[in-house]
Amino acid sequence: MAKSKNSRQKGRKNATQKGGSSAQAARRATQLELPEGYQKLSPNNGGSSSSGHPRGNGKLGNGKLSNESKKAQDSASSAGKLSPSYPKPWEMSKLYVIFNSDPLPAPTLTVSQGAPIDKPGTLNFNYDRPWVSLEGKHVKYELATALEKGRREMLPAVFPDYMPEQKQEVRNQYERSGLLGLFEARDSCNKNAPKVPGFLGGINPDMISVEDTTQVGANDANPLIGFLTQIDLAREIVNLLHPSVRDITALAFTCKQAGQYVDRIMERWDYTTGENFADVYLPKFGNDGGEIKRAGVRSDILVITPTPPKLPSRTPYLDDFGRTLHIIKVMVSIPQSFRHVVLDRLPFLDVNMVGLIISSMPNLESLAISRCDLLDVAKLPALIKIIKEHPRTPRNKGKAKALRTSNAVEGENVGENGGQNSNGNSSADDSSSTEDEDQTSSNDTSLLTEPDTSLISTDTAATSVGDEDQTGIDVTAATTDAEGNAPIHYIRLDFSPFFFRGPNTCERLGSFGVTYNEPTFHTPKAVVALMMQCWDDADTIGMDLMSDSSSFFSFVRRLPGWNCLWSLKARDAMLSFKRETSGIVLPEDFQRTVERTARSEIIAENHGSSRVAQPAFLDQVTARVVKLRKEKHDEIKKEAQNRFCDDLMAATSGDDFRPSDYPLPNSIAFYLGNAENHNAFGYWRRQYLCQGCKKLLPRVLFAIELDDCWGCKMVAFVRDMESSDLRRWKQSAIGYYLKGLDIKKGSLTDVIDPARGQHLTAALGAAKIADSIWLKFMNFSPTDLVVYPPEPPNLHRNTAAYSRYRWKHNWPEQAFDYREGGPQHEDPFKHPNSDWEDTELCGGEPPESFNANFRWSEEASTTLFEEYIRRNGLAKQITDPEAQKRIAAAKEWEKIRRLPGPKDHSKNGMWHLGRDLRRYYQNQGDKSIHALIHGRVEKCIWSFNTPMLRPFDLDHPIPDKRVDYEAWEELKEREIWELVPAGHSRRCL
């Protein structure tokens, strides 16, 4: 006994000498419950983990310390040493120092400055765990870089139309922040506005040589430059980086020499001038007709990007559409020549066109889409769907691995039809509607699906993540078909959505990123919800959504939020949850005692009787062990799910979040009822099925009304409200051009078929209308009649109502350029309908605008016929000769549509009666839509939980209460008196 006691004392002494403590032992025991991936931490991530607790900071949901945390803290204090901690943002950046009137010196920070408030009922992000998304990197450097960028983003933009006093005030803010040089640089850009940079920053090898950009021998000793000087090695390096445009650009920006060497291995086509070298890639034939040069891959990379036009044009949209036709014809002539394609800032590129490009290029391996006008963030599900519909199946299984890991030989095609999927029969007009509708056809739920535990082994060895890669992606799912037979792979996609900055004027509403107009959705939560919708499908096709090399996540990091770290926190929460649930390991102590516990329970259920037959008893114990393992598995996953929801809520709603700070108005609270218990701590941990995307998502990703998730609301808003740069007419033009094509089986060759002349004529007509609208507002005068511009036909009734009410509330007062975006609009449905009782003004379009735009249509004929039948009591038969005669007479007088006339049965009166009836029914329809959508928008705005209930905006960032508490209090005071015009009780029909 004494010997055993001495051994234990000696062990404690050795542990103390090595810096150990009982707290460290407790942490090592806790690590046994974590997934296998958590046991291989980066040295920069710290040395301990407390992520086993729901809030990650050793506290329970009620804000009290758990018993384990108390014991660990007491043990650490008794040891006289502080346990190693993970990087804290407030410990490394002067962002969390209160700014004063003097320029800031390098501050000396204390741990308490900027630290989150830690009290019951307050939710904070879990900073006491490793940053899973930053493993292998210098975490402090990454966070400090993001914080420094956030410090710059908190400063106001510098606009060229500032008044002198406004400009001086903004200059003083920059000076107080110690960033006066940044102000001068931004002001200089306004005076000498740079052109929009093209791919790789606009490097043009034809205009300047390597020797002219750098000193001779300046970087010759650099090993990277030495590799890039060898064309074969440079090509292999760039091929390894594809399809990441961000990584290739970073390589090119290393220095000017590197940029030139990277650029010379790419084939660059100028979209604006039409300059290309397609002739080089065409097959060559001898005098005898034999092929002397095969058509095949002779250049790995093709970049199609525009340059600013040299001369202005009066038909810019028609010119852009003509350039699109030229590019299509060139790509058809050499479809097998490239493996990697980069499409940058193409104005008429839509989802269906992407599908046809993939079908037309059988050797295509990666596709990068960057900053294209019609491909905003809401098109992410549609693009992933297009990639999944075009898998690439090798000719035989033996070549499958080689095709995935190396380039195909020159001239080799992947199948006769370019590896297209022969199943399905989707036409272009059917596919075009998917861009405006939900893109998720699968009913499978996402990460929060209940796990299948039927295969949990009854052995003591637990399941690990050894069969999956480091990201938790099942490799076999992305390389085999449904039957698991023929290995397949998909085109690697890198997608950078179009970023909406807003007009370059101090009078703009803001810069919102995901949309040009002021949104009525929660931007961070909407983007996270969209990523969770697409996560499984993105894993299937091998698309990178979350790494630093991903162009999509680079886009996400630029979006506004509560603070500059919101995107990093949300990504870390998602990846941590994926890792924890991809290979759940049951605790070792549970594995040792589970069988004993099962035996005890079975004996207790039999009232202590030992007369049960031995085989039956063993069967009962085995079944109980399986049940206990499953319950433990579900319990561990539920804890991980709660931690995920807590971190996601704190990332998207900010630290120091208290539900009681954002009470709902009585009208909305009464409408929702008390079942939701919105102000209860932890309500965001519940799971709900989105009615739009059919995904099981946490409550944090929904508004206060549980219908569609924030991601679906964002997609619907962009569909109905986004009209900058005449996007609807551009979408209509390319839709007419591709109408009737089979997107799954078709190719660009079908597009240029001469028999499709009528589709080309319709597309050119839409482009001409866009030019006429652009020219009208370029020459706009406030004295002009209020006549709304025409909208494309066959719009959804909600979208058409949005357009009319948008112009009603935001009719321009001066000329503007639609090519620069056009005017920004608020959501018209957040305002109550003040003209509810007026039958002429209750709709979105005034009578003079409707009368000027009215053209006789079949709808007008039907409306007039129904009115004629109602007045005369005739039988409701469309073949009634008298009614048809009257309708035909009314159509003949279309030329006098602008003249007033009596509403009788004369020719003139019948025409006006039909027009007035159509206006009346349109107003009544708009009125009904307003009553329906106003209530939805009202609930969305109340779900922001932001001061003044305003959306997230780069121009007006929300002040951090831990950085500038005075600004926060001032904003909260203004909220009492200047609340946005929402919250009105909607009137019912």
Side-chain angles (χ1 to χ4, degrees):
M1 185 69 179
K3 183 176 180 180
S4 176
K5 182 178 181 181
N6 293 336
S7 299
R8 289 195 297 270
Q9 292 177 351
K10 185 176 180 180
R12 295 194 189 99
K13 183 177 180 181
N14 293 337
T16 305
Q17 291 175 353
K18 296 179 181 180
S21 65
S22 58
Q24 294 174 347
R27 283 192 298 273
R28 287 194 295 270
T30 305
Q31 288 179 351
L32 296 176
E33 302 181 23
L34 297 177
E36 186 174 343
Y38 270 151
Q39 299 178 8
K40 299 179 181 179
L41 300 178
S42 170
N44 300 313
N45 264 335
S48 64
S49 173
S50 58
S51 59
H53 301 292
R55 293 181 57 198
N57 55 359
K59 297 202 171 183
L60 300 175
N62 56 6
K64 298 182 180 180
L65 284 171
S66 61
N67 295 331
E68 292 81 357
S69 299
K70 288 181 179 179
K71 293 178 181 178
Q73 290 186 6
D74 295 341
S75 301
S77 301
S78 62
K81 295 184 179 181
L82 294 176
S83 60
S85 61
Y86 299 101
K88 306 294 190 302
W90 57 89
E91 297 175 356
M92 63 180 66
S93 173
K94 55 186 176 181
L95 176 70
Y96 290 93
V97 178
I98 304 299
F99 295 136
N100 52 35
S101 59
D102 299 325
L104 285 177
T108 302
L109 299 179
T110 62
V111 176
S112 61
Q113 285 177 328
I117 300 175
D118 195 3
K119 64 180 183 180
T122 302
L123 178 69
N124 294 305
F125 186 77
N126 181 10
Y127 295 99
D128 293 324
R129 62 171 176 79
W131 288 80
V132 176
S133 60
L134 299 177
E135 283 188 355
K137 299 183 179 182
H138 196 292
V139 179
K140 288 187 177 181
Y141 173 79
E142 294 289 337
L143 295 180
T145 302
L147 289 169
E148 182 62 24
K149 180 181 178 183
R151 192 166 74 96
R152 296 194 301 268
E153 292 177 349
M154 290 181 66
L155 297 171
V158 181
F159 297 110
D161 55 347
Y162 270 143
M163 299 296 290
E165 57 274 10
Q166 292 176 313
K167 187 173 182 180
Q168 183 61 37
E169 181 182 354
V170 172
R171 187 181 189 277
N172 294 338
Q173 294 186 40
Y174 278 80
E175 188 175 4
R176 287 195 300 268
S177 303
L179 295 173
L180 183 59
L182 178 61
F183 171 83
E184 294 175 349
R186 290 177 174 177
D187 188 40
S188 177
C189 290
N190 287 328
K191 298 176 181 178
N192 303 294
K195 297 179 179 179
V196 179
F199 183 70
L200 299 186
I203 300 172
N204 191 343
D206 299 328
M207 299 296 294
I208 193 167
S209 63
V210 176
E211 289 75 13
D212 295 332
T213 59
T214 57
Q215 298 179 0
V216 178
N219 294 319
D220 290 345
N222 190 298
L224 176 62
I225 299 300
F227 282 118
L228 294 179
T229 55
Q230 306 294 325
I231 295 181
D232 293 337
L233 292 178
R235 184 177 292 109
E236 289 297 327
I237 292 174
V238 175
N239 286 344
L240 292 174
L241 297 178
H242 270 289
S244 175
V245 172
R246 188 175 186 272
D247 286 350
I248 297 175
T249 306
L251 175 63
F253 277 14
T254 305
C255 67
K256 292 183 178 180
Q257 279 182 281
Q260 293 293 329
Y261 289 134
V262 170
D263 188 83
R264 70 179 182 177
I265 65 174
M266 299 180 181
E267 178 69 22
R268 184 187 299 273
W269 291 358
D270 191 332
Y271 174 84
T272 304
T273 63
E275 295 179 358
N276 57 77
F277 305 96
D279 294 340
V280 180
Y281 300 93
L282 294 175
K284 306 297 182 182
F285 299 92
N287 295 331
D288 57 351
E291 185 178 15
I292 60 176
K293 187 177 182 180
R294 296 182 59 195
V297 176
R298 284 188 293 276
S299 180
D300 282 336
I301 306 168
L302 170 64
V303 179
I304 305 178
T305 185
T307 55
K310 297 179 180 179
L311 297 175
S313 172
R314 294 180 63 88
T315 58
Y317 292 96
L318 188 61
D319 294 345
D320 282 344
F321 192 79
R323 297 181 185 114
T324 301
L325 300 182
H326 176 71
I327 289 294
I328 291 175
K329 293 178 181 178
V330 175
M331 295 181 71
V332 168
S333 64
I334 49 174
Q336 304 175 14
S337 299
F338 302 97
R339 293 191 178 96
H340 312 289
V341 174
V342 179
L343 306 176
D344 179 50
R345 293 188 293 125
L346 303 185
F348 282 92
L349 182 69
D350 71 338
V351 175
N352 291 330
M353 181 66 75
V354 171
L356 294 174
I357 290 175
I358 294 175
S359 299
S360 304
M361 305 185 75
N363 292 324
L364 185 64
E365 296 179 4
S366 70
L367 178 64
I369 301 174
S370 174
R371 305 179 293 179
C372 294
D373 296 358
L374 300 180
L375 297 178
D376 49 68
V377 65
K379 302 301 188 298
L380 176 63
L383 285 175
I384 294 178
K385 180 182 178 183
I386 285 291
I387 298 295
K388 290 186 66 177
E389 290 177 349
H390 295 83
R392 298 302 170 95
T393 306
R395 293 178 178 177
N396 54 61
K397 297 182 180 181
K399 293 184 179 180
K401 185 175 182 181
L403 189 60
R404 291 181 57 234
T405 58
S406 63
N407 295 329
V409 296
E410 182 174 329
E412 180 183 14
N413 298 339
V414 188
E416 297 178 356
N417 61 345
Q420 302 167 15
N421 187 4
S422 58
N423 296 327
N425 190 15
S426 174
S427 61
D429 37 12
D430 292 335
S431 302
S432 61
S433 63
T434 61
E435 295 185 24
D436 296 336
E437 298 175 359
D438 173 47
Q439 301 296 326
T440 307
S441 59
S442 174
N443 292 326
D444 296 337
T445 54
S446 59
L447 296 177
L448 303 180
T449 309
E450 290 299 323
D452 182 11
T453 56
S454 59
L455 300 179
I456 297 181
S457 174
T458 57
D459 300 333
T460 57
T463 306
S464 67
V465 295
D467 295 336
E468 300 186 6
D469 61 2
Q470 295 179 355
T471 60
I473 303 173
D474 189 358
V475 178
T476 59
T479 57
T480 58
D481 60 4
E483 291 77 14
N485 297 325
I488 60 175
H489 76 291
Y490 297 92
I491 300 296
R492 291 177 295 165
L493 177 65
D494 188 52
F495 176 44
S496 178
F498 187 84
F499 191 92
F500 297 91
R501 291 186 174 277
N504 190 24
T505 172
C506 62
E507 297 179 356
R508 71 184 184 186
L509 294 177
S511 181
F512 307 106
V514 292
T515 179
Y516 189 78
N517 300 309
E518 184 183 75
T520 52
F521 55 84
H522 195 292
T523 299
K525 294 181 180 180
V527 174
V528 170
L530 190 69
M531 294 172 68
M532 292 192 66
Q533 291 177 21
C534 303
W535 200 351
D536 292 338
D537 290 336
D539 285 352
T540 300
I541 66 173
M543 181 183 179
D544 183 7
L545 284 181
M546 297 190 186
S547 77
D548 291 331
S549 298
S550 168
S551 295
F552 184 83
F553 190 73
S554 178
F555 165 85
V556 173
R557 291 191 66 170
R558 299 166 60 192
L559 296 177
W562 272 94
N563 52 53
C564 54
L565 295 180
W566 80 265
S567 57
L568 293 179
K569 295 177 183 178
R571 178 181 69 173
D572 208 77
M574 296 171 69
L575 293 179
S576 297
F577 177 70
K578 184 77 176 240
R579 173 177 289 187
E580 291 182 26
T581 56
S582 61
I584 295 180
V585 179
L586 300 182
E588 188 176 346
D589 55 348
F590 173 81
Q591 296 280 30
R592 289 195 302 265
T593 61
V594 60
E595 186 174 353
R596 185 189 315 157
T597 303
R599 288 177 176 271
S600 301
E601 292 181 358
I602 295 300
I603 292 176
E605 291 176 1
N606 293 327
H607 305 288
S609 174
S610 59
R611 298 180 180 178
V612 181
Q614 186 69 11
F617 179 77
L618 293 178
D619 291 342
Q620 293 179 11
V621 170
T622 302
R624 184 58 55 87
V625 168
V626 173
K627 178 182 177 182
L628 293 176
R629 290 180 186 275
K630 183 180 182 301
E631 292 175 351
K632 188 65 176 179
H633 181 280
D634 295 345
E635 178 186 348
I636 294 175
K637 182 167 183 178
K638 184 64 176 179
E639 293 176 356
Q641 184 173 299
N642 290 341
R643 291 193 296 270
F644 163 67
C645 294
D646 289 346
D647 284 345
L648 193 60
M649 186 68 177
T652 55
S653 300
D655 286 330
D656 305 336
F657 176 78
R658 291 183 293 272
S660 57
D661 291 346
Y662 306 98
L664 299 177
N666 293 333
S667 59
I668 296 181
F670 177 79
Y671 173 79
L672 295 176
N674 297 323
E676 176 58 25
N677 197 11
H678 185 76
N679 293 332
F681 188 90
Y683 73 90
W684 51 82
R685 296 176 179 175
R686 303 176 185 137
Q687 314 300 322
Y688 293 94
L689 187 68
C690 173
Q691 298 179 13
C693 61
K694 307 303 180 184
K695 296 288 184 179
L696 188 66
L697 299 173
R699 179 65 178 84
V700 60
L701 301 179
F702 289 85
I704 55 179
E705 186 174 19
L706 296 171
D707 46 6
D708 293 344
C709 67
W710 279 119
C712 293
K713 291 181 182 296
M714 177 181 67
V715 172
F717 180 91
V718 172
R719 177 194 64 206
D720 293 333
M721 272 288 291
E722 194 50 59
S723 61
S724 60
D725 196 10
L726 297 175
R727 289 162 54 88
R728 288 178 183 164
W729 280 108
K730 291 196 292 186
Q731 183 66 61
S732 178
I734 196 64
Y736 284 138
Y737 192 47
L738 304 181
K739 185 177 181 180
L741 294 178
D742 191 334
I743 302 303
K744 289 185 178 181
K745 298 181 180 180
S747 66
L748 294 178
T749 306
D750 303 328
V751 178
I752 61 175
D753 188 350
R756 294 178 48 82
Q758 72 277 14
H759 299 290
L760 177 59
T761 302
L764 295 175
K768 291 177 181 178
I769 294 177
D771 284 326
S772 65
I773 297 174
W774 168 78
L775 193 60
K776 170 186 176 180
F777 286 106
M778 284 290 290
N779 302 317
F780 177 79
S781 173
T783 60
D784 293 345
L785 293 177
V786 179
V787 179
Y788 293 174
E791 291 286 350
N794 301 324
L795 285 180
H796 190 275
R797 58 193 300 264
N798 290 4
T799 306
Y802 258 105
S803 178
R804 290 189 286 268
Y805 276 111
R806 186 173 62 244
W807 284 119
K808 180 178 181 179
H809 290 285
N810 300 276
W811 185 249
E813 299 178 355
Q814 59 184 0
F816 61 87
D817 187 358
Y818 251 128
R819 298 287 286 176
E820 297 180 358
Q824 286 182 300
H825 302 283
E826 294 180 330
D827 191 324
F829 290 133
K830 79 176 186 179
H831 302 278
N833 193 345
S834 58
D835 301 318
W836 182 271
E837 305 295 341
D838 193 332
T839 58
E840 289 290 346
L841 299 177
C842 63
E845 189 173 12
E848 58 270 18
S849 175
F850 182 92
N851 295 343
N853 289 325
F854 179 73
R855 300 293 184 274
W856 196 271
S857 63
E858 292 299 326
E859 293 180 350
S861 301
T862 303
T863 304
L864 186 60
F865 171 73
E866 292 175 352
E867 180 67 14
Y868 180 80
I869 293 297
R870 185 184 67 82
R871 288 190 176 187
N872 295 274
L874 301 176
K876 292 187 177 181
Q877 297 179 2
I878 196 65
T879 57
D880 184 85
E882 182 65 21
Q884 293 294 325
K885 181 179 178 180
R886 300 269 184 192
I887 293 172
K891 291 181 180 179
E892 295 176 359
W893 287 87
E894 192 271 341
K895 60 184 179 181
I896 60 172
R897 61 185 181 278
R898 301 180 186 273
L899 301 178
K903 298 180 180 179
D904 54 18
H905 294 288
S906 65
K907 296 181 180 179
N908 188 9
M910 289 295 290
W911 193 95
H912 282 81
L913 178 60
R915 181 197 65 186
D916 294 343
L917 286 173
R918 288 306 307 160
R919 185 175 69 247
Y920 171 79
Y921 287 125
Q922 176 180 291
N923 289 338
Q924 292 301 311
D926 289 353
K927 180 180 176 180
S928 302
I929 293 173
H930 189 287
L932 176 65
I933 300 182
H934 172 63
R936 299 176 182 175
V937 173
E938 177 184 359
K939 297 180 183 66
C940 289
I941 293 177
W942 278 106
S943 303
F944 283 170
N945 293 341
T946 58
M948 300 289 293
L949 297 181
R950 66 186 189 188
F952 294 95
D953 176 14
L954 291 176
D955 290 348
H956 308 92
I958 297 175
D960 193 329
K961 68 179 72 173
R962 296 175 291 147
V963 176
D964 194 348
Y965 190 76
E966 294 181 359
W968 172 269
E969 285 295 318
E970 180 183 355
L971 202 60
K972 297 295 287 185
E973 284 291 331
R974 289 178 54 195
E975 182 178 5
I976 301 176
W977 306 103
E978 303 177 22
L979 195 62
V980 294
H984 303 275
S985 299
R986 63 188 181 94
R987 304 184 66 172
C988 301
L989 288 176

